[in-house]
Amino acid sequence: MTKLRLAIVGAGPAGIYAADILLKAERKFDVSIDLFDQLPAPYGLVRYGVAPDHPRIKGIITALRDVLDRGDIRIFGNVRFGEDLVLDDLQKHYHAVIFATGAIKDAALDIPGIDAVGSYGAADFVSWYDGHPDFPREWPLDASSVAVLGNGNVALDVARVLAKHAEDLLVTEIPENVQRGLEASQVTDVHVFGRRGPAQVKFTPLELRELGELRDVDMVVYDEDFDYDDASRAAIASNKQVMVIDRVLQSWRQRPSANNAGGEASRRLHLHFYAKPIEIKTDETGRAAAIVYERTRPDGQGGVEGTGELREIPVQQVYRAVGYFGSPLAGVPFDKRHGVIPNHEGQVLRKDSNERVPGVYATGWIKRGPVGLIGHTKSDAMETIRHLINDQGSWWNPEDPSDEAIPALLAERGVRWTDLDGWHRLDEHEVALGAPQERARIKVVDREEMVRVSRGE
């Protein structure tokens, strides 16, 4: 009986689901899986992309942990693909590889002034408040008025964290440096801009409803945004999610703070619909000073068109939350335009000829782009695994597929990798740090400290 030695690069949901699906799949060969990640801890964007005040989403970690704790998947954390390990190494020791590296960079937004001082990608801010070890420990929150560009869940996460009072995050796993940074925040007004109307937003009702429950934060919406066209009314009538979103927004219109009429809270969160960002204006030092947007209107087809009317709101910081973007991997084909590995249903293709690259597969956001929820990642992995199983004739022929080869190679190169036992040690350490303050955990941010705790050094 043939044995498949498989490498999976990326230990987030996409990589773990792919491993689990393969192990449970009907097949005529044994399987041995090694999971690699550049971070010392697993779970990818569930650990480093979900806001700390969303523990219900982090509950997904419990399911992922159950998969890893079965003991039939090896983990090698703190291993950088392209540096510590390259494609040639994988070909020498495995029959195939699945890349599940996701997307952690911000998509570009091509408008004048987007590179101003005080203009940031939302993904970088998320990485800061989630304690990603490879991002700066400090974040300047010295602006009173802030713009968030986008109408998806990431935009709402960013707006919520900016508007929320720091002490209300103490019950979460927020890192101590982030807590201190938020305590020093000067933010009083957060403006969220979306170029389409309330019936076309991309966020979910639960995310929206949470905004209205923030302590000492007034929700500000504007009556002019609710003059619906037929397409919007049809969307509200036919889609339950859109109907709930409309109901939440309509309830906010009845509040004293609606239309900037003046509430009593010390902070305000403004939602601007039919507002297409046109330019970030800067002051004489090059810092963001205002956002210019064009007022749009429904086009009758469910989309929008410009009106030519320009408006301006003073802001000192801008966060673009217009999507994530994948990063290239050494030796692996990459589509620079879409930020994905070119593929057919997970089978990686050569960039120029569209021929299959034997033994190389992709799953998750690096395969399909940063769209869809966790559930899509499972069906995505199933598609990739189906091809992997059926492609047995084109797998690599490794020189040394032994279990001992990779630990020996990493040790020889001086790589201080972390394993599953190491994650358990780090997990217990973080929970213990939070216990005296009755917090879920206090996340360790420093990479070196994460590695040291994980390795029991």
Side-chain angles (χ1 to χ4, degrees):
M1 180 181 284
T2 306
K3 181 175 184 178
L4 167 64
R5 286 272 293 135
L6 175 68
I8 298 178
V9 179
I16 295 174
Y17 284 146
D20 189 40
I21 289 165
L22 176 59
L23 287 165
K24 292 176 178 175
E26 193 173 315
R27 47 191 162 72
K28 296 179 179 178
F29 49 82
D30 289 333
V31 173
S32 170
I33 300 175
D34 287 345
L35 199 58
F36 296 91
D37 203 280
Q38 65 168 342
L39 293 167
Y43 309 132
L45 275 183
V46 181
R47 179 172 164 98
Y48 290 114
V50 175
D53 57 347
H54 271 182
R56 71 180 188 284
I57 298 178
K58 288 185 179 290
I60 295 164
I61 284 181
T62 303
L64 298 176
R65 181 175 183 142
D66 288 345
V67 173
L68 297 182
D69 281 354
R70 285 201 314 254
D72 49 8
I73 303 166
R74 288 199 304 184
I75 299 182
F76 294 88
N78 199 40
V79 177
R80 297 180 189 270
F81 179 80
E83 295 178 30
D84 302 323
L85 211 57
V86 297
L87 195 60
D88 282 349
D89 297 323
L90 299 182
Q91 286 182 300
K92 286 177 186 172
H93 301 294
Y94 297 93
H95 297 93
V97 59
I98 298 176
F99 288 100
T101 49
I104 61 164
K105 291 187 176 177
D106 286 282
L109 180 63
D110 188 17
I111 62 172
I114 197 65
D115 294 325
V117 177
S119 177
Y120 305 100
D124 288 348
F125 183 58
V126 171
S127 292
W128 172 73
Y129 69 57
D130 267 333
H132 194 296
D134 298 336
F135 284 77
R137 303 288 183 272
E138 309 300 321
W139 193 277
L141 291 169
D142 51 356
S144 60
S145 184
V146 176
V148 179
L149 313 182
N151 261 177
N153 282 342
V154 174
L156 290 199
D157 275 353
V158 168
R160 190 181 66 256
V161 171
L162 285 167
K164 198 168 188 172
H165 291 277
E167 57 265 33
D168 295 336
L169 285 163
L170 272 174
V171 294
T172 73
E173 60 180 47
I174 192 165
E176 289 186 317
N177 64 298
V178 177
Q179 182 71 29
R180 289 193 301 271
L182 292 172
E183 283 172 353
S185 172
Q186 303 297 306
V187 173
T188 59
D189 288 83
V190 179
H191 297 267
V192 182
F193 297 89
R195 61 186 179 85
R196 299 200 290 178
Q200 287 81 40
V201 295
K202 296 295 186 184
F203 41 72
T204 51
L206 195 57
E207 293 275 348
L208 181 67
R209 194 181 288 121
E210 283 179 339
L211 291 185
E213 297 168 355
L214 297 179
R215 181 183 66 82
D216 191 35
V217 178
D218 278 335
M219 295 306 303
V220 183
V221 291
Y222 300 87
D223 286 341
E224 63 177 348
D225 292 337
F226 295 89
D227 186 13
Y228 290 146
D229 66 339
D230 289 342
S232 292
R233 282 191 286 270
I236 293 166
S238 62
N239 186 307
K240 187 176 180 183
Q241 180 162 304
V242 179
M243 185 191 307
V244 174
I245 285 171
D246 178 62
R247 194 176 298 153
V248 173
L249 292 170
Q250 297 291 354
S251 72
W252 292 349
R253 292 179 70 190
Q254 311 309 314
R255 293 185 180 185
S257 58
N259 290 285
N260 240 359
E264 297 179 355
S266 67
R267 295 182 180 180
R268 288 155 295 282
L269 208 163
H270 310 250
L271 298 182
H272 303 271
F273 300 103
Y274 298 115
K276 179 185 177 183
I278 296 295
E279 179 186 1
I280 310 301
K281 284 192 172 178
T282 58
D283 62 17
E284 61 278 2
T285 68
R287 184 185 174 109
I291 179 168
V292 178
Y293 67 93
E294 180 182 15
R295 182 79 180 158
T296 63
R297 64 186 169 212
D299 63 4
Q301 311 297 317
V304 293
E305 60 188 11
T307 66
E309 178 191 351
L310 299 183
R311 298 183 183 179
E312 185 174 315
I313 293 177
V315 295
Q316 301 86 47
Q317 279 190 343
V318 178
Y319 295 82
R320 71 181 188 278
V322 294
Y324 285 87
F325 202 77
S327 302
L329 296 150
V332 182
F334 188 70
D335 180 341
K336 291 180 182 177
R337 185 179 172 198
H338 299 102
V340 297
I341 295 174
N343 70 91
H344 169 70
E345 296 182 347
Q347 297 170 307
V348 172
L349 305 175
R350 300 190 195 283
K351 211 167 86 174
D352 302 323
S353 64
N354 270 356
E355 292 177 6
R356 278 205 30 229
V357 180
V360 185
Y361 299 83
T363 191
W365 280 4
I366 198 65
K367 167 188 173 184
R368 71 179 190 274
V371 291
L373 304 172
I374 294 285
H376 296 98
T377 304
K378 271 190 178 176
S379 55
D380 202 34
M382 289 177 76
E383 181 181 70
T384 297
I385 292 301
R386 186 175 70 248
H387 281 297
L388 171 68
I389 291 172
N390 293 333
D391 290 346
Q392 189 170 352
S394 62
W395 290 348
W396 297 330
N397 292 309
E399 292 174 21
D400 180 6
S402 67
D403 286 348
E404 301 78 25
I406 289 297
L409 180 66
L410 294 175
E412 182 186 318
R413 292 178 180 173
V415 179
R416 295 167 65 227
W417 76 89
T418 60
D419 57 16
L420 185 59
D421 287 340
W423 159 241
H424 288 157
R425 278 191 286 270
L426 178 61
D427 182 42
E428 290 164 7
H429 178 72
E430 291 182 339
V431 171
L433 287 177
Q437 301 171 42
E438 297 184 348
R439 295 172 60 181
R441 73 173 66 228
I442 294 177
K443 195 183 285 183
V444 175
V445 178
D446 182 73
R447 178 185 281 267
E448 181 58 34
E449 186 181 352
M450 291 176 74
V451 172
R452 184 179 52 75
V453 171
S454 298
R455 291 172 64 90
E457 295 174 353

mmCIF file of all heavy atoms in Angstrom, residues 335-367:
data_model
loop_
_atom_site.group_PDB
_atom_site.id
_atom_site.type_symbol
_atom_site.label_atom_id
_atom_site.label_comp_id
_atom_site.label_asym_id
_atom_site.label_seq_id
_atom_site.Cartn_x
_atom_site.Cartn_y
_atom_site.Cartn_z
ATOM 1 N N ASP A 335 -0.390 35.039 -9.103
ATOM 2 C CA ASP A 335 -1.147 36.001 -9.905
ATOM 3 C C ASP A 335 -1.113 37.340 -9.172
ATOM 4 O O ASP A 335 -1.833 37.543 -8.196
ATOM 5 C CB ASP A 335 -2.586 35.495 -10.065
ATOM 6 C CG ASP A 335 -3.461 36.436 -10.893
ATOM 7 O OD1 ASP A 335 -3.106 37.616 -11.049
ATOM 8 O OD2 ASP A 335 -4.525 35.977 -11.367
ATOM 9 N N LYS A 336 -0.254 38.257 -9.646
ATOM 10 C CA LYS A 336 -0.069 39.536 -8.955
ATOM 11 C C LYS A 336 -1.327 40.401 -8.995
ATOM 12 O O LYS A 336 -1.547 41.231 -8.115
ATOM 13 C CB LYS A 336 1.094 40.307 -9.592
ATOM 14 C CG LYS A 336 2.453 39.680 -9.358
ATOM 15 C CD LYS A 336 3.543 40.511 -10.017
ATOM 16 C CE LYS A 336 4.914 39.871 -9.825
ATOM 17 N NZ LYS A 336 5.964 40.633 -10.529
ATOM 18 N N ARG A 337 -2.125 40.222 -10.005
ATOM 19 C CA ARG A 337 -3.311 41.063 -10.143
ATOM 20 C C ARG A 337 -4.381 40.715 -9.104
ATOM 21 O O ARG A 337 -5.021 41.576 -8.526
ATOM 22 C CB ARG A 337 -3.890 40.911 -11.553
ATOM 23 C CG ARG A 337 -5.068 41.844 -11.819
ATOM 24 C CD ARG A 337 -5.589 41.687 -13.236
ATOM 25 N NE ARG A 337 -6.827 42.449 -13.404
ATOM 26 C CZ ARG A 337 -7.687 42.251 -14.389
ATOM 27 N NH1 ARG A 337 -7.433 41.326 -15.294
ATOM 28 N NH2 ARG A 337 -8.778 42.963 -14.486
ATOM 29 N N HIS A 338 -4.550 39.423 -8.875
ATOM 30 C CA HIS A 338 -5.608 38.979 -7.959
ATOM 31 C C HIS A 338 -5.093 38.538 -6.592
ATOM 32 O O HIS A 338 -5.885 38.274 -5.690
ATOM 33 C CB HIS A 338 -6.410 37.837 -8.601
ATOM 34 C CG HIS A 338 -7.094 38.234 -9.885
ATOM 35 N ND1 HIS A 338 -6.600 37.893 -11.123
ATOM 36 C CD2 HIS A 338 -8.210 38.977 -10.099
ATOM 37 C CE1 HIS A 338 -7.397 38.387 -12.058
ATOM 38 N NE2 HIS A 338 -8.373 39.048 -11.469
ATOM 39 N N GLY A 339 -3.764 38.434 -6.435
ATOM 40 C CA GLY A 339 -3.209 38.050 -5.146
ATOM 41 C C GLY A 339 -3.475 36.609 -4.766
ATOM 42 O O GLY A 339 -3.676 36.294 -3.592
ATOM 43 N N VAL A 340 -3.482 35.709 -5.774
ATOM 44 C CA VAL A 340 -3.740 34.286 -5.518
ATOM 45 C C VAL A 340 -2.718 33.433 -6.273
ATOM 46 O O VAL A 340 -2.011 33.916 -7.166
ATOM 47 C CB VAL A 340 -5.170 33.873 -5.959
ATOM 48 C CG1 VAL A 340 -6.218 34.616 -5.157
ATOM 49 C CG2 VAL A 340 -5.378 34.115 -7.460
ATOM 50 N N ILE A 341 -2.660 32.146 -5.899
ATOM 51 C CA ILE A 341 -1.894 31.169 -6.670
ATOM 52 C C ILE A 341 -2.798 30.695 -7.813
ATOM 53 O O ILE A 341 -3.907 30.213 -7.550
ATOM 54 C CB ILE A 341 -1.477 29.973 -5.788
ATOM 55 C CG1 ILE A 341 -0.509 30.428 -4.682
ATOM 56 C CG2 ILE A 341 -0.845 28.877 -6.632
ATOM 57 C CD1 ILE A 341 -0.170 29.333 -3.676
ATOM 58 N N PRO A 342 -2.380 30.835 -9.077
ATOM 59 C CA PRO A 342 -3.236 30.381 -10.177
ATOM 60 C C PRO A 342 -3.505 28.883 -10.054
ATOM 61 O O PRO A 342 -2.578 28.096 -9.809
ATOM 62 C CB PRO A 342 -2.440 30.720 -11.440
ATOM 63 C CG PRO A 342 -1.038 30.947 -10.983
ATOM 64 C CD PRO A 342 -1.102 31.382 -9.554
ATOM 65 N N ASN A 343 -4.758 28.486 -10.205
ATOM 66 C CA ASN A 343 -5.101 27.087 -9.993
ATOM 67 C C ASN A 343 -6.406 26.719 -10.676
ATOM 68 O O ASN A 343 -7.222 27.583 -11.010
ATOM 69 C CB ASN A 343 -5.209 26.790 -8.494
ATOM 70 C CG ASN A 343 -6.429 27.452 -7.861
ATOM 71 O OD1 ASN A 343 -7.508 26.873 -7.783
ATOM 72 N ND2 ASN A 343 -6.266 28.708 -7.427
ATOM 73 N N HIS A 344 -6.595 25.422 -10.863
ATOM 74 C CA HIS A 344 -7.880 24.886 -11.301
ATOM 75 C C HIS A 344 -8.398 23.988 -10.196
ATOM 76 O O HIS A 344 -7.840 22.921 -9.941
ATOM 77 C CB HIS A 344 -7.732 24.080 -12.597
ATOM 78 C CG HIS A 344 -8.967 23.299 -12.948
ATOM 79 N ND1 HIS A 344 -10.136 23.895 -13.369
ATOM 80 C CD2 HIS A 344 -9.216 21.967 -12.906
ATOM 81 C CE1 HIS A 344 -11.058 22.971 -13.581
ATOM 82 N NE2 HIS A 344 -10.524 21.786 -13.305
ATOM 83 N N GLU A 345 -9.390 24.461 -9.480
ATOM 84 C CA GLU A 345 -9.994 23.697 -8.376
ATOM 85 C C GLU A 345 -8.940 23.218 -7.380
ATOM 86 O O GLU A 345 -9.026 22.118 -6.844
ATOM 87 C CB GLU A 345 -10.811 22.517 -8.922
ATOM 88 C CG GLU A 345 -11.993 22.959 -9.758
ATOM 89 C CD GLU A 345 -12.833 21.797 -10.267
ATOM 90 O OE1 GLU A 345 -12.366 20.629 -10.182
ATOM 91 O OE2 GLU A 345 -13.947 22.048 -10.737
ATOM 92 N N GLY A 346 -7.928 24.053 -7.169
ATOM 93 C CA GLY A 346 -6.895 23.725 -6.194
ATOM 94 C C GLY A 346 -5.642 23.125 -6.777
ATOM 95 O O GLY A 346 -4.609 23.049 -6.105
ATOM 96 N N GLN A 347 -5.678 22.677 -8.028
ATOM 97 C CA GLN A 347 -4.480 22.180 -8.704
ATOM 98 C C GLN A 347 -3.720 23.392 -9.241
ATOM 99 O O GLN A 347 -4.242 24.125 -10.089
ATOM 100 C CB GLN A 347 -4.858 21.251 -9.865
ATOM 101 C CG GLN A 347 -5.586 19.980 -9.441
ATOM 102 C CD GLN A 347 -6.148 19.238 -10.656
ATOM 103 O OE1 GLN A 347 -6.852 19.813 -11.469
ATOM 104 N NE2 GLN A 347 -5.828 17.953 -10.753
ATOM 105 N N VAL A 348 -2.516 23.595 -8.768
ATOM 106 C CA VAL A 348 -1.763 24.793 -9.143
ATOM 107 C C VAL A 348 -1.344 24.724 -10.610
ATOM 108 O O VAL A 348 -0.939 23.668 -11.113
ATOM 109 C CB VAL A 348 -0.536 24.962 -8.219
ATOM 110 C CG1 VAL A 348 0.374 26.090 -8.705
ATOM 111 C CG2 VAL A 348 -1.013 25.249 -6.798
ATOM 112 N N LEU A 349 -1.454 25.881 -11.288
ATOM 113 C CA LEU A 349 -1.150 25.977 -12.713
ATOM 114 C C LEU A 349 0.067 26.880 -12.939
ATOM 115 O O LEU A 349 0.275 27.850 -12.202
ATOM 116 C CB LEU A 349 -2.343 26.563 -13.476
ATOM 117 C CG LEU A 349 -3.683 25.855 -13.318
ATOM 118 C CD1 LEU A 349 -4.779 26.639 -14.028
ATOM 119 C CD2 LEU A 349 -3.612 24.424 -13.873
ATOM 120 N N ARG A 350 0.824 26.573 -13.971
ATOM 121 C CA ARG A 350 1.910 27.470 -14.361
ATOM 122 C C ARG A 350 1.300 28.766 -14.876
ATOM 123 O O ARG A 350 0.287 28.758 -15.554
ATOM 124 C CB ARG A 350 2.783 26.822 -15.441
ATOM 125 C CG ARG A 350 3.416 25.526 -14.973
ATOM 126 C CD ARG A 350 4.463 25.021 -15.966
ATOM 127 N NE ARG A 350 4.796 23.622 -15.671
ATOM 128 C CZ ARG A 350 5.571 23.212 -14.686
ATOM 129 N NH1 ARG A 350 6.106 24.122 -13.880
ATOM 130 N NH2 ARG A 350 5.813 21.939 -14.482
ATOM 131 N N LYS A 351 1.951 29.876 -14.545
ATOM 132 C CA LYS A 351 1.370 31.191 -14.827
ATOM 133 C C LYS A 351 1.227 31.461 -16.326
ATOM 134 O O LYS A 351 0.240 32.017 -16.781
ATOM 135 C CB LYS A 351 2.218 32.284 -14.186
ATOM 136 C CG LYS A 351 1.409 33.484 -13.770
ATOM 137 C CD LYS A 351 2.188 34.407 -12.882
ATOM 138 C CE LYS A 351 2.995 35.379 -13.701
ATOM 139 N NZ LYS A 351 3.666 36.388 -12.881
ATOM 140 N N ASP A 352 2.212 31.048 -17.122
ATOM 141 C CA ASP A 352 2.218 31.408 -18.535
ATOM 142 C C ASP A 352 1.477 30.408 -19.418
ATOM 143 O O ASP A 352 0.819 30.794 -20.376
ATOM 144 C CB ASP A 352 3.670 31.553 -19.032
ATOM 145 C CG ASP A 352 4.426 32.601 -18.223
ATOM 146 O OD1 ASP A 352 3.793 33.610 -17.857
ATOM 147 O OD2 ASP A 352 5.621 32.403 -17.947
ATOM 148 N N SER A 353 1.570 29.133 -19.073
ATOM 149 C CA SER A 353 1.022 28.111 -19.971
ATOM 150 C C SER A 353 -0.283 27.491 -19.483
ATOM 151 O O SER A 353 -0.947 26.780 -20.235
ATOM 152 C CB SER A 353 2.053 26.992 -20.148
ATOM 153 O OG SER A 353 2.278 26.332 -18.904
ATOM 154 N N ASN A 354 -0.651 27.749 -18.221
ATOM 155 C CA ASN A 354 -1.837 27.111 -17.618
ATOM 156 C C ASN A 354 -1.699 25.593 -17.508
ATOM 157 O O ASN A 354 -2.693 24.896 -17.318
ATOM 158 C CB ASN A 354 -3.121 27.456 -18.382
ATOM 159 C CG ASN A 354 -3.769 28.703 -17.819
ATOM 160 O OD1 ASN A 354 -3.311 29.259 -16.819
ATOM 161 N ND2 ASN A 354 -4.836 29.157 -18.449
ATOM 162 N N GLU A 355 -0.469 25.082 -17.630
ATOM 163 C CA GLU A 355 -0.247 23.650 -17.399
ATOM 164 C C GLU A 355 -0.211 23.384 -15.900
ATOM 165 O O GLU A 355 0.195 24.233 -15.116
ATOM 166 C CB GLU A 355 1.101 23.213 -18.009
ATOM 167 C CG GLU A 355 1.150 23.256 -19.518
ATOM 168 C CD GLU A 355 2.530 22.874 -20.026
ATOM 169 O OE1 GLU A 355 3.379 22.464 -19.189
ATOM 170 O OE2 GLU A 355 2.768 22.994 -21.236
ATOM 171 N N ARG A 356 -0.594 22.169 -15.523
ATOM 172 C CA ARG A 356 -0.573 21.808 -14.116
ATOM 173 C C ARG A 356 0.852 21.696 -13.597
ATOM 174 O O ARG A 356 1.745 21.250 -14.306
ATOM 175 C CB ARG A 356 -1.285 20.467 -13.904
ATOM 176 C CG ARG A 356 -2.792 20.632 -13.822
ATOM 177 C CD ARG A 356 -3.454 19.518 -13.059
ATOM 178 N NE ARG A 356 -2.633 18.937 -12.027
ATOM 179 C CZ ARG A 356 -2.451 17.637 -11.887
ATOM 180 N NH1 ARG A 356 -3.026 16.796 -12.710
ATOM 181 N NH2 ARG A 356 -1.705 17.172 -10.908
ATOM 182 N N VAL A 357 1.043 22.111 -12.344
ATOM 183 C CA VAL A 357 2.322 21.914 -11.668
ATOM 184 C C VAL A 357 2.170 20.660 -10.812
ATOM 185 O O VAL A 357 1.449 20.686 -9.809
ATOM 186 C CB VAL A 357 2.686 23.119 -10.779
ATOM 187 C CG1 VAL A 357 4.030 22.877 -10.103
ATOM 188 C CG2 VAL A 357 2.727 24.404 -11.600
ATOM 189 N N PRO A 358 2.788 19.551 -11.178
ATOM 190 C CA PRO A 358 2.584 18.301 -10.439
ATOM 191 C C PRO A 358 2.952 18.443 -8.967
ATOM 192 O O PRO A 358 3.959 19.078 -8.617
ATOM 193 C CB PRO A 358 3.523 17.311 -11.138
ATOM 194 C CG PRO A 358 3.783 17.907 -12.480
ATOM 195 C CD PRO A 358 3.725 19.382 -12.301
ATOM 196 N N GLY A 359 2.130 17.871 -8.106
ATOM 197 C CA GLY A 359 2.438 17.804 -6.677
ATOM 198 C C GLY A 359 2.150 19.062 -5.886
ATOM 199 O O GLY A 359 2.327 19.067 -4.661
ATOM 200 N N VAL A 360 1.702 20.135 -6.542
ATOM 201 C CA VAL A 360 1.499 21.407 -5.841
ATOM 202 C C VAL A 360 0.023 21.803 -5.891
ATOM 203 O O VAL A 360 -0.585 21.858 -6.973
ATOM 204 C CB VAL A 360 2.372 22.532 -6.455
ATOM 205 C CG1 VAL A 360 2.232 23.813 -5.631
ATOM 206 C CG2 VAL A 360 3.832 22.103 -6.508
ATOM 207 N N TYR A 361 -0.541 22.113 -4.707
ATOM 208 C CA TYR A 361 -1.972 22.419 -4.586
ATOM 209 C C TYR A 361 -2.168 23.670 -3.717
ATOM 210 O O TYR A 361 -1.245 24.120 -3.038
ATOM 211 C CB TYR A 361 -2.709 21.225 -3.955
ATOM 212 C CG TYR A 361 -2.597 19.964 -4.775
ATOM 213 C CD1 TYR A 361 -1.472 19.140 -4.655
ATOM 214 C CD2 TYR A 361 -3.582 19.603 -5.683
ATOM 215 C CE1 TYR A 361 -1.344 17.992 -5.424
ATOM 216 C CE2 TYR A 361 -3.465 18.456 -6.456
ATOM 217 C CZ TYR A 361 -2.343 17.659 -6.327
ATOM 218 O OH TYR A 361 -2.219 16.533 -7.102
ATOM 219 N N ALA A 362 -3.371 24.187 -3.764
ATOM 220 C CA ALA A 362 -3.699 25.364 -2.955
ATOM 221 C C ALA A 362 -5.106 25.228 -2.399
ATOM 222 O O ALA A 362 -5.967 24.580 -3.004
ATOM 223 C CB ALA A 362 -3.585 26.640 -3.797
ATOM 224 N N THR A 363 -5.341 25.864 -1.246
ATOM 225 C CA THR A 363 -6.685 25.897 -0.676
ATOM 226 C C THR A 363 -6.836 27.172 0.153
ATOM 227 O O THR A 363 -5.848 27.790 0.555
ATOM 228 C CB THR A 363 -6.970 24.643 0.188
ATOM 229 O OG1 THR A 363 -8.371 24.612 0.512
ATOM 230 C CG2 THR A 363 -6.169 24.653 1.488
ATOM 231 N N GLY A 364 -8.072 27.572 0.409
ATOM 232 C CA GLY A 364 -8.335 28.774 1.204
ATOM 233 C C GLY A 364 -8.197 30.048 0.388
ATOM 234 O O GLY A 364 -8.311 30.056 -0.832
ATOM 235 N N TRP A 365 -7.927 31.151 1.089
ATOM 236 C CA TRP A 365 -7.892 32.463 0.434
ATOM 237 C C TRP A 365 -6.778 32.586 -0.604
ATOM 238 O O TRP A 365 -6.922 33.312 -1.578
ATOM 239 C CB TRP A 365 -7.741 33.558 1.492
ATOM 240 C CG TRP A 365 -9.025 33.902 2.163
ATOM 241 C CD1 TRP A 365 -10.238 33.310 1.980
ATOM 242 C CD2 TRP A 365 -9.234 34.944 3.134
ATOM 243 N NE1 TRP A 365 -11.191 33.901 2.775
ATOM 244 C CE2 TRP A 365 -10.605 34.903 3.492
ATOM 245 C CE3 TRP A 365 -8.400 35.879 3.736
ATOM 246 C CZ2 TRP A 365 -11.151 35.774 4.424
ATOM 247 C CZ3 TRP A 365 -8.949 36.756 4.662
ATOM 248 C CH2 TRP A 365 -10.311 36.703 4.998
ATOM 249 N N ILE A 366 -5.647 31.892 -0.430
ATOM 250 C CA ILE A 366 -4.569 31.982 -1.413
ATOM 251 C C ILE A 366 -4.987 31.264 -2.694
ATOM 252 O O ILE A 366 -4.406 31.482 -3.761
ATOM 253 C CB ILE A 366 -3.240 31.393 -0.851
ATOM 254 C CG1 ILE A 366 -2.037 31.884 -1.671
ATOM 255 C CG2 ILE A 366 -3.292 29.872 -0.786
ATOM 256 C CD1 ILE A 366 -1.789 33.366 -1.604
ATOM 257 N N LYS A 367 -6.038 30.453 -2.612
ATOM 258 C CA LYS A 367 -6.572 29.740 -3.779
ATOM 259 C C LYS A 367 -7.671 30.535 -4.472
ATOM 260 O O LYS A 367 -7.665 30.700 -5.686
ATOM 261 C CB LYS A 367 -7.126 28.382 -3.325
ATOM 262 C CG LYS A 367 -7.987 27.649 -4.355
ATOM 263 C CD LYS A 367 -8.642 26.421 -3.725
ATOM 264 C CE LYS A 367 -9.647 25.774 -4.672
ATOM 265 N NZ LYS A 367 -10.346 24.634 -4.017
#
